[in-house]
Structures are given as C-alpha cells and as structure tokens.
Amino acid sequence: MEAYKKLETIFTKIYRFRHLISMAFWDIQVLMPRGGAEARGAALAELQLHVHELLTDPKMRDLLLEAEKNKEQLGTLQQANLREIRLEWERENLLPEEIIKKKSELTTRAQQIWRKSREENDFSQWLPMLKELVALFYETGVALAGNTGKHPYEALLQLYEPGMSLERIDEIFNEIKSWLPALIREVMEKRKTAGEEVLTPVGPFPLEAQKELSRYCMNVWKFDFDGGRQDCSLHPFCGGVKEDVRITTRYDESRFETGLMAAIHETGHAKYEQNGGPKEMITQLVARYRSLGVHEGQSLFAERMVARSKPFIEFLLPKLKELFGDQPAFTPENMVKIIQRVNPSFIRITSDELCYTMHIILRYEIERGLIEGKLRVEDVPAVWNEKMKSYLGIETLGNDREGCLQDIHWSIGDFGYFPTYSLGALVAAQLMASIRRDLGNDVVDDCIRKGELGAILEKQREKIWQHGSTYTTEELLTKATGEPLNPRFFREHLERRYRDNLG
Amino acid sequence: MEAYKKLETIFTKIYRFRHLISMAFWDIQVLMPRGGAEARGAALAELQLHVHELLTDPKMRDLLLEAEKNKEQLGTLQQANLREIRLEWERENLLPEEIIKKKSELTTRAQQIWRKSREENDFSQWLPMLKELVALFYETGVALAGNTGKHPYEALLQLYEPGMSLERIDEIFNEIKSWLPALIREVMEKRKTAGEEVLTPVGPFPLEAQKELSRYCMNVWKFDFDGGRQDCSLHPFCGGVKEDVRITTRYDESRFETGLMAAIHETGHAKYEQNGGPKEMITQLVARYRSLGVHEGQSLFAERMVARSKPFIEFLLPKLKELFGDQPAFTPENMVKIIQRVNPSFIRITSDELCYTMHIILRYEIERGLIEGKLRVEDVPAVWNEKMKSYLGIETLGNDREGCLQDIHWSIGDFGYFPTYSLGALVAAQLMASIRRDLGNDVVDDCIRKGELGAILEKQREKIWQHGSTYTTEELLTKATGEPLNPRFFREHLERRYRDNLG
C-alpha cells in the first residue's frame, strides 16, 4: 500500500506538470506571437524532460514491483490505476533517449520540409525526409515492442489505442472495405439519378453570429463554461486540462456549417474531459480518457450521431434564421442535404462522413506497409493514387498536394494514429445504437429535435465518461453496449442515413 | 570555469521553468475560467517547489563556492551573473520551508478576509489577520537578514530593490516630505484662485476605438508585436516572458484617459523586458531587470515623462479627434489640464502624479513601523488618518475602505514593495533629465510632439535596458545619468510641470 501511495504522489506531481505543459501548448495554437516560439519550445522541452526523468527514475521500478506484489490490498480503481501506471512506465522506459532526441530533431525539420513540399506539390523534396521518418519510426516501434513479440506498427498503434491488435484492425477494416466503397458508389449514383438540387445558404455569415451559434450549441451540450473556454485557432482542437477544457474553432465567413460542425465536434471531446473519470482520482492515470478511439467516439457522437441528424437540423433551423436571416435554403429538407452531403474528394479533413473512413483505411494501409517494409517510400504517390481510385473513384496522380502530401501527421511523427479516427466512428455508432435501445428511438429523436440532450448525455456519462481508464477498451465497450467493438453498427448507421434517407 | 558553466546550465533550466510559470500566471489574470483556479494553483505550486528544490540543492553551494574561487577566469558579464546567482541562492536558502508554506497558506486566507473587510469597511475583521501577517513578515525579514545585521524591514525591501538601504530611503523620503506637501497645497491653491475650468470629453468611448488608441501608442513606442501581445484584465500588468511580453489594460467606456495611460505605462515596462539585458545571456539572471524601482522607472518614464507631457498631448490630439469625434474638450490647453490634473484623493492607484508619492511615503512609514514593532496594528487606521491629513489634507476616519483597507499588497505578502513605486518616479525623472542634457530639450520635445520616439528610446536602451543586471542600481544610475539616485530631478520635474506650467 505504501509503495502504491508513493506512486500516486509521483503521478499527481506529473499530472500538475502536464497541466502547465498543456496550457503552454494551447497558448501556442491560440495566442502566442511568432517571436515567442523558440523560448516556448525550449521551456516545454525542459519540463517534458523532467517528466521523462521522473518516469525513468530507477526507484519507479522498485515502487511498481512492490505495489504489484501487494496488489490484492488495493481497490478496483487503484488496481486499474496501477495497470495504467505500468503501461505508462513501460512505454517511457522502452524508448532510448537517442530515439526521443532524434524524434524531436527530425520532426521539427520534417514539418518545415513537408510544408514546403506540399506548397510546391513536390514529392521529391519530401521523399528523403519521409524515408528518415519511416526508418526512425520502425526503430521506435521495435523499441516499444520490447520483447513482447509485438509487430512494430502495432506497438506504435498502441501508443494511441492501447490493447488494439493489428489482427483486429484488419478484421474491422476488411469488413468495412467489403461494403463501404460500394455504398458510396450506390449513394452517388442514386443522388445523380434523382437530379438532387441543393440550395446554398447565402453568406457572408458574420463572425460574431457564428460565434453565437457555436455558443448556443455548446450550451445545448451543457458545456461547462466555468471549467472551460472556446477560442479560435487555425486548426480546431480540444486542449487544456480536465479542470479547464479549452476548445477552439475556425470560422469561415462564406460557410457556417464547417465552423459549426467543428465546434460541436470539439464540444464532444470536451464533454468527455469535463466529465471524465472518477473525480476523486482526477490526478491519476485511471481518470484519463480510455484511448484516442474512444475520445474520437465522443466527438463523432456529438457531430455525426447528433448534429448531422435530421432532428437536430429541425431543432437548429429557427436559430439559423434568427442569426442569418430567413433564407430559401433554410428548409429542413435542404439543410439535411447540406449537412449530409456525399462527395468523394481528395482532402480527408473536409471529407464527408461516408467517404472519410476510406481515407483512413488508405492511410492505415500505406503507413503500415511503410513500417513493415512492404511498401517503398518512392511508391507512395502511385499506391495512393491506386487506392483513391479503387476506394473513392478519384485520381491523385501528379496532384500530391491533395494526395500523399496533404496530412501533417507523418511529419510530426504520428505513425499509427490514423486508425483511431475510424475506431472513433465505430464507437460513436455503436454507442448511439445502445442508447437508442436503452431510451427508445422516439425518445432519442425527440430529445435531439427539442435540443434537450440531458437524457442522452447522462447515458454517455454513465456508459463511457465516468469510467475514465478503469476498464480496457474492450471491457468498457462491452459494459456500455453489450459487446466489443463491432462495425455492424457503423454500417447500419450509414445505410440508414445515406441509403434509406433516415436519421 | 566548469563550476560556473554548471551554474549557468541550472539557471537556464530555471529560466525555462519560470517561463511556464509566468505564462500560467498571465493566463489566470486574462483568460482562465473560475473553475480552473484550484488545479492551476496546485500546478503552479508544484513547479515553484521544484525550482525551490533546484535552488536549495546542496550541490549548488559547492558549485557556487568553486565558481567564486575561480572568479578571475570569468568575464565581466559572467562575474555579474555570478553575483546575481549568489544573491538569488542566498535568498532562497535563507527562508526555512515552514515560512514559505506558512506564507502561502496565510496569504491565501488573508486575501479573502481583506476583500471582505474592505467591502464591509470593517477593519476589525482585518485586524487579527494583519497581526498574523506582520508577525510572519517580521520573521521573514529576520530570516532574510541572516547574520548580516540587516534590519528585517530592509531585508524585505531588498527582495524588490537589492542594495537599497533604509538610511537612503529615509534620506530620500524625508527630503521629499520637506517640499512636496507644500507644493501640492500651493498648486491646489493657485488653481482654485485661477478658477480653472476643465471641459470633460464626452463619451461613451467605444471599446474598439480605445483598443485602437492603445495600439497606436504602442506602435509609437515601437512595442514588438512579434514578441508580445496586449490583452485585457481586471488590473493592468506586464507579464509573460522576455521573448513574449504580455501587457494588459482595462478600459472604461466613460473615460478613455485611464485605459490609455495604463496601456502606455505597461508599454514602458514591456520595452524594458523586450530590450532587456545582454541578448547572449538571456536565460541568465544577469539579463534580468535591475530592480523593481528601475522597472517602474521605465513605465513611469513612458507614462509621466512622455505621455503626460504637453508635447505628447499635442501629438495625440488628431488621433483623439479621429477616434472620438471633434469635441470642444479636445484642445491642447484643456487636455493638458485633464492629463495633468491635481486632486488629493483617498485612492492611491487613481491618484495623480503629484500626490502619488505621498501615498507611498505614508505606506512606507506605516509598514516599516509595523515590522519594527513601533506601530501597533490596532493603531493603523488612526495613524493613516493623521498622515493623510498632514500629507494631503484629507481625512479617512471611519472610511477604512478608502483608507488602510484599500491596497491588496499586505494581504498577498508584499511588505517592503511600496517604496519601489516612488523610487521608480525618481528614476524616471533623473533619466529624463539626463536624456534632455544629452539630446537637448528642443530635440526631446520635438520627438515627442511628432510621436517619433526613436532617439529617446535609443537613449533608454543604451543607458538602462541593455545592461540588465550587469551593474548594481547605484552603478547603473551613475553610468546612465552621471550620479546616484537624486530626488532633485523629481522635484524639478514636478515644479516645472505643476508650478511653472511647463512640460
């Protein structure tokens, strides 16, 4: 018990240091003037190094072994916390300092070259850099796998999605590939045949009105403004700390939907943070979000399961008219067409709900191929083009800016991260299906139509949020929804919305 | 050399930690939602404790002694840096942990009680708290004095104004007392006799226009917006870090002068930070501002020596008309009357330039008396009233809210801090006198009248800013102005502006 208590104290300290790190990161994205970058980077690196030193201090190992020896003295939460502590400790100790330093050095350089290569649509500049990155992250994966026999790519994936196996990912993604590209073609064909007409809302949509709309929706989700903020940044994100959750949005005065959906998406993340984990253990790892897939599951639940649904559009229309004037485009039927548009396109981040997953599968297959050495870095543009053709029916040949150069992820060292976006989509659909079973379809749709989300939010809290990292992802989903992750619900959701025009 | 280099490395680390601490503090004042306070406090305390541990690590003592033994191997800057390191190290090691903890606990409690006592105009609630504070800060002063034989109040004062003796302070303040109250009476009398009429500019003065005015003035001062920001907070301050200096302002839509003068005041501080110290040693103590008195000297230089002068009003008038419309009040003569008003009043922070110093002397005499045990805490209201009558001719009896309960300083543990405000006023006047000697009165006034401050700012940089803490305050002022601190220049400035109606 004493050893365990000491570990808690160390992790409370780390929690507090990470508070300052998160806030300094948030500030970089939202406020920091350009000239502050170098000093900020050095300050962050210094505290991160100190946290690393705490985690790799030899006495941690003794405390951990001692605590694990006396595990039966601990309660359920404490045992789960100890499991998370071991995971964090192992990760931190498996990576040699040279890899950490090399990562920091390489990704700083890589980001600059990536940006330039993308601007100039020039893969040849990016090629040597990507080779170096792949080599480093292969090495990182091998180091993280330790002597567990894990596949190096799996070790990378598990940084974001602990416990997820490649076998499982393949199973899920292959299942999705067996029907999603066909569904996309079918929906596109049907809409073309129907000669669908869409009225575009007429802007400009003033910044202040868009901000009010975001705030209005954040209140619908009961975002706690006493424990958080909303600001603007180039790329929307959810940051800060559990006690002070900070989401950002980016507004486009010519289109209000993107800013609106981004704000609701980030609010979904924020709700998980603001209500996450057992409160009495807030400084401990057990109170942390379960995984990035589960986190994305909450944001996509808010965005796709709720905000992109017909009932929500109905709820929102009066507010849209109030803020942007009564427009011919503001009918339920037309606005549903806008919010549920399907349009296979090059860019992942502006992709629609239906096509998005194919973007992710493409990236997963390519990055895994690279790490496994089965795909040569030189061949990335060609393979990208082939897969885009086969999955979405569009070509990127010679257009790498909108092809393999579009994402920031590899340049900042996020290999193994992409799949969590799609795991999130699955979690969101499966969670909504279980809430619909619990509350009844009519009640759920009615809640959404009235903008009274209380009952739905309470279900999310009960099923997911309150548990933090107490359970593994598989345990958590089974408890919450009756079964482990199952892509069936995702398919049913998409077919219902896009094929059957329901929901 | 090796020991010294190790010390530099440790202080670079501390500099970076303090970067994160400063930014987190800034965020509290400017952005943090209420609910974030507790976690933020804990996070800050954790990192501050870590810095304290670094400074009190026994190996620091060995490094310091070793480095001092080989001092002659070091250059001038390094020797100065070593002197500052010793000072910081001594301070940090002289205070027992119990005092540090007690200070943190007591001041948190004291602030709440002070706020309530002030609101309710009830000194009796504050009395026991102030007794505890005085006892603790007596103890702190004794600890900080160590075995140097320093007066405990002097030890407290030297936290903010290193090297300043009580003897010197008394000399200065007694000299000022010999003529300032009489000057105030004389000016008041003369203005009353002259039946002076002042036209008040007609508001409201919209927030956005005031912000533009501040930004306009910050550009006149060549504030580097690439290395800093301006925001709003309840109490204006200059925070952040040297590479990212953040000033704040508070605007009042019914009066633009307060926000304007506050913005310029904080810009004065910011300029010292943005240009402070030898750049190549930016992470070291030697690059830090010399003292709070010198810092306030820079803000008051901007505010009083420049912005409250007639030539500056002339420069500003076209901009005022552009932003707030052409008003009868916007004549040079009338605006000078507003910016240079004299009106003895209860509240220090809204006091005019002439009366301000008497507020400071009053506080100095009272806080010193308390720490020395020559003044009983019970007698503070009565003594306050007496001194206000004698210095400014107004009474605070029964009005402690606007008397001895008005300042936050004692409640947050700032004993010995007040005098630095007036030292700053002296520094500002003496610095301007020397710049006027160097450049000539006409050139200086002409620069200000045109809003082209380049030559003046360059003089400030050359005389004060670039030196950071290389020299002691006395050395610095002597190099900059030809003599140590001398209240003569302050008197000449006030007499010129308020008695002779010049400048």
Side-chain angles (χ1 to χ4, degrees), chain A residues 220-237:
Chain A
V220 167
W221 262 271
K222 302 180 197 295
F223 178 93
D224 175 11
F225 281 97
D226 241 20
R229 300 178 46 90
Q230 192 214 12
D231 297 273
C232 292
S233 71
L234 197 58
H235 301 285
F237 73 105

mmCIF file of all heavy atoms in Angstrom, chain A residues 220-237:
data_model
loop_
_atom_site.group_PDB
_atom_site.id
_atom_site.type_symbol
_atom_site.label_atom_id
_atom_site.label_comp_id
_atom_site.label_asym_id
_atom_site.label_seq_id
_atom_site.Cartn_x
_atom_site.Cartn_y
_atom_site.Cartn_z
ATOM 1 N N VAL A 220 -26.354 23.757 -25.558
ATOM 2 C CA VAL A 220 -27.216 22.586 -25.748
ATOM 3 C C VAL A 220 -26.508 21.336 -25.199
ATOM 4 O O VAL A 220 -27.117 20.482 -24.575
ATOM 5 C CB VAL A 220 -27.563 22.411 -27.246
ATOM 6 C CG1 VAL A 220 -28.181 21.042 -27.508
ATOM 7 C CG2 VAL A 220 -28.501 23.529 -27.705
ATOM 8 N N TRP A 221 -25.197 21.270 -25.424
ATOM 9 C CA TRP A 221 -24.419 20.117 -24.915
ATOM 10 C C TRP A 221 -24.021 20.276 -23.450
ATOM 11 O O TRP A 221 -23.273 19.482 -22.930
ATOM 12 C CB TRP A 221 -23.178 19.908 -25.795
ATOM 13 C CG TRP A 221 -23.409 18.829 -26.806
ATOM 14 C CD1 TRP A 221 -23.158 17.493 -26.622
ATOM 15 C CD2 TRP A 221 -23.956 18.957 -28.129
ATOM 16 N NE1 TRP A 221 -23.517 16.793 -27.749
ATOM 17 C CE2 TRP A 221 -24.002 17.666 -28.692
ATOM 18 C CE3 TRP A 221 -24.410 20.023 -28.878
ATOM 19 C CZ2 TRP A 221 -24.495 17.416 -29.977
ATOM 20 C CZ3 TRP A 221 -24.897 19.776 -30.155
ATOM 21 C CH2 TRP A 221 -24.931 18.489 -30.691
ATOM 22 N N LYS A 222 -24.490 21.354 -22.838
ATOM 23 C CA LYS A 222 -24.168 21.650 -21.436
ATOM 24 C C LYS A 222 -22.657 21.708 -21.177
ATOM 25 O O LYS A 222 -22.152 21.216 -20.161
ATOM 26 C CB LYS A 222 -24.819 20.615 -20.504
ATOM 27 C CG LYS A 222 -26.342 20.542 -20.656
ATOM 28 C CD LYS A 222 -26.928 19.501 -19.718
ATOM 29 C CE LYS A 222 -28.343 19.110 -20.117
ATOM 30 N NZ LYS A 222 -29.338 20.210 -20.007
ATOM 31 N N PHE A 223 -21.945 22.309 -22.126
ATOM 32 C CA PHE A 223 -20.521 22.583 -21.905
ATOM 33 C C PHE A 223 -20.399 23.462 -20.665
ATOM 34 O O PHE A 223 -21.139 24.431 -20.519
ATOM 35 C CB PHE A 223 -19.947 23.304 -23.135
ATOM 36 C CG PHE A 223 -18.485 23.677 -23.015
ATOM 37 C CD1 PHE A 223 -17.496 22.826 -23.485
ATOM 38 C CD2 PHE A 223 -18.094 24.874 -22.421
ATOM 39 C CE1 PHE A 223 -16.143 23.163 -23.381
ATOM 40 C CE2 PHE A 223 -16.747 25.214 -22.306
ATOM 41 C CZ PHE A 223 -15.766 24.360 -22.793
ATOM 42 N N ASP A 224 -19.496 23.127 -19.769
ATOM 43 C CA ASP A 224 -19.351 23.893 -18.531
ATOM 44 C C ASP A 224 -18.389 25.061 -18.759
ATOM 45 O O ASP A 224 -17.170 24.875 -18.722
ATOM 46 C CB ASP A 224 -18.833 22.967 -17.427
ATOM 47 C CG ASP A 224 -18.537 23.718 -16.142
ATOM 48 O OD1 ASP A 224 -18.914 24.913 -16.028
ATOM 49 O OD2 ASP A 224 -17.925 23.126 -15.234
ATOM 50 N N PHE A 225 -18.945 26.245 -18.964
ATOM 51 C CA PHE A 225 -18.110 27.415 -19.240
ATOM 52 C C PHE A 225 -17.351 27.903 -18.005
ATOM 53 O O PHE A 225 -16.455 28.723 -18.113
ATOM 54 C CB PHE A 225 -18.940 28.563 -19.842
ATOM 55 C CG PHE A 225 -19.239 28.387 -21.305
ATOM 56 C CD1 PHE A 225 -20.450 27.850 -21.726
ATOM 57 C CD2 PHE A 225 -18.299 28.722 -22.264
ATOM 58 C CE1 PHE A 225 -20.729 27.678 -23.081
ATOM 59 C CE2 PHE A 225 -18.561 28.553 -23.619
ATOM 60 C CZ PHE A 225 -19.776 28.026 -24.029
ATOM 61 N N ASP A 226 -17.722 27.378 -16.863
ATOM 62 C CA ASP A 226 -16.961 27.678 -15.651
ATOM 63 C C ASP A 226 -15.670 26.860 -15.604
ATOM 64 O O ASP A 226 -14.755 27.184 -14.856
ATOM 65 C CB ASP A 226 -17.802 27.325 -14.434
ATOM 66 C CG ASP A 226 -18.055 28.527 -13.581
ATOM 67 O OD1 ASP A 226 -17.917 29.651 -14.091
ATOM 68 O OD2 ASP A 226 -18.385 28.329 -12.404
ATOM 69 N N GLY A 227 -15.650 25.792 -16.369
ATOM 70 C CA GLY A 227 -14.482 24.920 -16.375
ATOM 71 C C GLY A 227 -13.933 24.763 -17.784
ATOM 72 O O GLY A 227 -13.435 23.687 -18.125
ATOM 73 N N GLY A 228 -14.033 25.826 -18.555
ATOM 74 C CA GLY A 228 -13.512 25.738 -19.916
ATOM 75 C C GLY A 228 -13.760 26.994 -20.715
ATOM 76 O O GLY A 228 -14.422 27.925 -20.249
ATOM 77 N N ARG A 229 -13.243 27.042 -21.937
ATOM 78 C CA ARG A 229 -13.376 28.192 -22.812
ATOM 79 C C ARG A 229 -13.508 27.732 -24.257
ATOM 80 O O ARG A 229 -13.187 26.602 -24.584
ATOM 81 C CB ARG A 229 -12.111 29.056 -22.789
ATOM 82 C CG ARG A 229 -11.697 29.634 -21.509
ATOM 83 C CD ARG A 229 -10.380 30.438 -21.679
ATOM 84 N NE ARG A 229 -10.431 31.277 -22.837
ATOM 85 C CZ ARG A 229 -10.877 32.534 -22.839
ATOM 86 N NH1 ARG A 229 -11.301 33.077 -21.720
ATOM 87 N NH2 ARG A 229 -10.886 33.231 -23.956
ATOM 88 N N GLN A 230 -13.925 28.660 -25.103
ATOM 89 C CA GLN A 230 -13.857 28.431 -26.532
ATOM 90 C C GLN A 230 -13.132 29.596 -27.181
ATOM 91 O O GLN A 230 -13.437 30.756 -26.877
ATOM 92 C CB GLN A 230 -15.254 28.287 -27.137
ATOM 93 C CG GLN A 230 -15.179 27.771 -28.570
ATOM 94 C CD GLN A 230 -16.262 28.331 -29.458
ATOM 95 O OE1 GLN A 230 -16.953 29.271 -29.084
ATOM 96 N NE2 GLN A 230 -16.407 27.758 -30.629
ATOM 97 N N ASP A 231 -12.185 29.285 -28.044
ATOM 98 C CA ASP A 231 -11.432 30.327 -28.745
ATOM 99 C C ASP A 231 -11.256 29.921 -30.205
ATOM 100 O O ASP A 231 -11.810 28.916 -30.631
ATOM 101 C CB ASP A 231 -10.067 30.511 -28.068
ATOM 102 C CG ASP A 231 -10.200 30.988 -26.637
ATOM 103 O OD1 ASP A 231 -10.277 32.189 -26.414
ATOM 104 O OD2 ASP A 231 -10.267 30.124 -25.727
ATOM 105 N N CYS A 232 -10.484 30.726 -30.935
ATOM 106 C CA CYS A 232 -10.232 30.418 -32.345
ATOM 107 C C CYS A 232 -8.786 29.990 -32.545
ATOM 108 O O CYS A 232 -7.882 30.490 -31.883
ATOM 109 C CB CYS A 232 -10.499 31.649 -33.201
ATOM 110 S SG CYS A 232 -12.238 32.075 -33.245
ATOM 111 N N SER A 233 -8.572 29.060 -33.459
ATOM 112 C CA SER A 233 -7.214 28.702 -33.872
ATOM 113 C C SER A 233 -7.263 28.184 -35.295
ATOM 114 O O SER A 233 -8.337 27.872 -35.806
ATOM 115 C CB SER A 233 -6.615 27.648 -32.944
ATOM 116 O OG SER A 233 -7.247 26.410 -33.142
ATOM 117 N N LEU A 234 -6.100 28.100 -35.910
ATOM 118 C CA LEU A 234 -6.034 27.687 -37.308
ATOM 119 C C LEU A 234 -6.654 26.297 -37.500
ATOM 120 O O LEU A 234 -7.418 26.059 -38.424
ATOM 121 C CB LEU A 234 -4.566 27.683 -37.753
ATOM 122 C CG LEU A 234 -4.328 27.666 -39.249
ATOM 123 C CD1 LEU A 234 -4.976 28.855 -39.924
ATOM 124 C CD2 LEU A 234 -2.819 27.660 -39.530
ATOM 125 N N HIS A 235 -6.310 25.373 -36.617
ATOM 126 C CA HIS A 235 -6.911 24.042 -36.661
ATOM 127 C C HIS A 235 -7.689 23.817 -35.380
ATOM 128 O O HIS A 235 -7.120 23.922 -34.301
ATOM 129 C CB HIS A 235 -5.839 22.969 -36.813
ATOM 130 C CG HIS A 235 -5.024 23.135 -38.056
ATOM 131 N ND1 HIS A 235 -5.511 22.824 -39.299
ATOM 132 C CD2 HIS A 235 -3.784 23.634 -38.250
ATOM 133 C CE1 HIS A 235 -4.600 23.102 -40.205
ATOM 134 N NE2 HIS A 235 -3.539 23.606 -39.597
ATOM 135 N N PRO A 236 -8.983 23.521 -35.501
ATOM 136 C CA PRO A 236 -9.780 23.303 -34.299
ATOM 137 C C PRO A 236 -9.201 22.152 -33.468
ATOM 138 O O PRO A 236 -8.750 21.159 -34.035
ATOM 139 C CB PRO A 236 -11.150 22.904 -34.860
ATOM 140 C CG PRO A 236 -11.172 23.406 -36.257
ATOM 141 C CD PRO A 236 -9.759 23.343 -36.731
ATOM 142 N N PHE A 237 -9.185 22.311 -32.173
ATOM 143 C CA PHE A 237 -8.760 21.200 -31.311
ATOM 144 C C PHE A 237 -9.362 21.361 -29.925
ATOM 145 O O PHE A 237 -9.942 22.401 -29.599
ATOM 146 C CB PHE A 237 -7.227 21.099 -31.244
ATOM 147 C CG PHE A 237 -6.562 22.178 -30.426
ATOM 148 C CD1 PHE A 237 -6.047 21.925 -29.162
ATOM 149 C CD2 PHE A 237 -6.436 23.458 -30.946
ATOM 150 C CE1 PHE A 237 -5.429 22.930 -28.413
ATOM 151 C CE2 PHE A 237 -5.809 24.465 -30.209
ATOM 152 C CZ PHE A 237 -5.308 24.192 -28.942
#
